[in-house]
Amino acid sequence: MEEIALQFALDGSPISCRIFGEGHVNRTYRIVTDHGKHYILQHVSGTAFHDVPGLMENVARVTEVLARNSADPRESLRLISTYDGVNWVRDREGEYWRVYEFVEDSLCLQAAESPADFYESAVAFGRFQHMLRDFPIDTLHETIPNFHNTPDRFRIFHETLAADPCGRAADVKREIDFFLAREEESGALQAMRESGELPLRVTHNDTKLNNVLLDAATRKALCVIDLDTVMPGLVAYDFGDAIRFGASTGAEDEKDLSKIEMDLSLFATFADGFIPACGGLTPREIETLPLGAKLMTLECGLRFLTDYLDGDHYFGIARPEHNLDRARTQIKLVEDMEAKWDAMQAVIQNYMPG
């Protein structure tokens, strides 16, 4: 760790380096130097991301824009360069590493402790969209190709289903039929993206509360973190994934499905923070936000079920049917959204121009 850290232009020499946070993809450490400065040292997974230099170019350019548009220096992550003037290094095993300034007096929550926390996450992600509204999107690298291309996710699902490598398909016919019944509508956002009906924006693509830092004293939004999946996308992606995860009344892998529903009041809370903070959304974009919630949930459930059928190679599991449990929670959420569809639409109508 010291060998890696000393390649970056830190203020002082490292005197401690300890594991920090609860990330599942990248390993994160907190460094303290003899000058009392704190930094975040992070391993970037070359398994999850096949073009780490391209990813780091995205992060560098996005954080530069965010920093220029921020009144408080804590409102943007700030990369530390190496002594060679780049923002990442590779170790002797070929693994990638980067360093950020530590955001002082900040708080990262794994789950909202109140609706106000969820509202502040909405403000953070909306402000992120707003500050990057003029960013040249065509210069961004696609760090995970076809990440929210739902028809392509169905293509992979069909291939896995046909191969049925683990012989599991016969026991999950109800779940398979659920997704197949919604395959046609699942391509709606992708079709609007391809036709230009919805504008491409800089999207975060992992809009969970734990990817937002709050001010430790005021609990107000500071900045968005974990920028590895920043890519060109639709505003409905970010809104939808936040609802999928944050407005659910239960854990993503809850086995008791009676505990799972989409909390309409939290849906409204997030909309109230996100839409005004974005600013300048088109009427069509606003109109498609409920669809984003449904399709991002459907897509995630499909990915869980695909991985279960394929033998659990992508998502880490803690029990044999872990991915199946995850798929079932997403199914329950989609069903609940369908039952509350008119109410979701009514919430969004409050933000339509005129």
Side-chain angles (χ1 to χ4, degrees), residues 148-152 154 182-194 234 237 291 295 298:
H148 283 315
N149 183 340
T150 313
D152 194 63
F154 267 97
R182 290 158 179 79
E183 181 172 5
E184 185 174 350
E185 70 169 316
S186 73
L189 285 176
Q190 182 67 17
M192 285 185 273
R193 173 177 175 163
E194 292 172 354
L234 303 179
Y237 297 164
L291 183 63
L295 293 190
L298 185 77

Side-chain angles (χ1 to χ4, degrees), residues 144-321:
I144 305 178
N146 291 314
F147 188 56
H148 283 315
N149 183 340
T150 313
D152 194 63
R153 296 289 186 184
F154 267 97
R155 176 189 62 79
I156 297 168
F157 173 68
H158 281 290
E159 291 176 354
T160 306
L161 185 59
D164 194 15
C166 301
R168 293 175 168 178
D171 295 327
V172 291
K173 187 176 185 306
R174 189 191 78 83
E175 289 79 7
I176 291 169
D177 289 345
F178 176 88
F179 289 107
L180 293 179
R182 290 158 179 79
E183 181 172 5
E184 185 174 350
E185 70 169 316
S186 73
L189 285 176
Q190 182 67 17
M192 285 185 273
R193 173 177 175 163
E194 292 172 354
S195 70
E197 186 176 350
L198 294 173
L200 283 178
R201 298 189 182 272
V202 179
T203 48
H204 184 275
N205 296 298
D206 192 13
T207 48
K208 299 183 182 71
L209 175 69
N210 59 8
N211 283 330
V212 171
L213 295 183
L214 305 178
D215 185 289
T218 66
R219 304 280 284 229
K220 298 296 184 183
L222 280 179
C223 72
V224 171
I225 62 174
D226 194 359
L227 305 179
D228 296 340
T229 54
V230 168
M231 292 179 278
L234 303 179
V235 68
Y237 297 164
D238 279 1
F239 181 89
D241 197 43
I243 296 299
R244 178 195 74 80
F245 190 83
S248 173
T249 56
E252 192 173 63
D253 57 357
E254 176 59 60
K255 298 181 73 170
D256 183 356
L257 296 180
S258 69
K259 296 180 180 179
I260 300 295
E261 65 175 294
M262 195 277 298
D263 187 322
L264 188 62
S265 67
L266 289 178
F267 176 89
T269 294
F270 194 86
D272 197 40
F274 182 81
I275 298 172
C278 280
L281 297 182
T282 69
R284 190 65 168 138
E285 284 181 295
I286 297 171
E287 182 183 300
T288 58
L289 295 180
L291 183 63
K294 179 179 175 179
L295 293 190
M296 291 303 96
T297 308
L298 185 77
E299 178 185 284
C300 190
L302 182 74
R303 292 174 63 199
F304 286 142
L305 185 60
T306 301
D307 199 34
Y308 175 73
L309 293 172
D310 196 40
D312 308 301
H313 297 299
Y314 186 84
F315 297 105
I317 60 170
R319 53 182 184 265
E321 294 191 342

Side-chain angles (χ1 to χ4, degrees), residues 23-36:
H24 298 300
V25 177
N26 298 326
R27 300 195 307 277
T28 303
Y29 303 84
R30 183 173 177 174
I31 292 176
V32 180
T33 74
D34 56 4
H35 288 185

